[in-house]
Amino acid sequence: QVQLVESGGGLAQPGGSLKLSCAASGSIFGLIAMGWSRQGPGKQRELVAAITSGGSTNYGNSVKGRFSISRDNAKNTVYLQMNSLKPEDTAVYYCNARGDQSGYVVDYWGQGTQVTVSS
């Protein structure tokens, strides 16, 4: 029943910005965290950013100082503001939500959205 719908991906120039949105529908019980990961060409999937239910954030080393994650609890939406984009940021970006359902950790994933950084 839980669906994560991503938007905001596309093409940006190096040094540019994009803002990704991930809207969650359905009930995510015992929400632990929401976040973003990405997988670039020839790369393993890596953590981009995450925000816990308590508001703590963490970022992958490659995006620290450039990307910011935030949440709008009223809209059940998580955002990823991406600034100072580099070609190496080119990847499919996936939204993730993690919940604790009576002691069972469950991960929900969006369909992924392509971000391409190129001049």
Side-chain angles (χ1 to χ4, degrees), residues 75-88:
K75 296 181 179 180
N76 214 21
T77 300
V78 63
Y79 305 94
L80 183 69
Q81 178 66 51
M82 304 185 293
N83 299 321
S84 302
L85 285 163
K86 304 175 181 179
E88 65 195 58

Side-chain angles (χ1 to χ4, degrees), residues 2-6 22-37 45 47 49-53 69 71 76-78 94-101 104-111:
V2 175
Q3 301 288 328
L4 303 177
V5 180
E6 298 146 317
C22 175
S25 62
S27 298
I28 303 176
F29 296 103
L31 183 66
I32 298 171
M34 297 187 71
W36 297 86
S37 64
R45 188 172 297 189
L47 171 71
I51 183 167
T52 70
S53 60
I69 189 169
R71 292 178 63 190
N76 214 21
T77 300
V78 63
Y94 298 91
C95 178
N96 168 241
R98 174 168 287 184
D100 181 354
Q101 300 183 358
Y104 295 90
V105 174
V106 179
D107 282 316
Y108 304 93
W109 293 91
Q111 78 285 353

Side-chain angles (χ1 to χ4, degrees), residues 53-74:
S53 60
S56 298
T57 60
N58 66 291
Y59 298 90
N61 289 333
S62 62
V63 306
K64 287 180 179 177
R66 300 188 298 120
F67 292 8
S68 297
I69 189 169
S70 61
R71 292 178 63 190
D72 186 335
N73 291 333

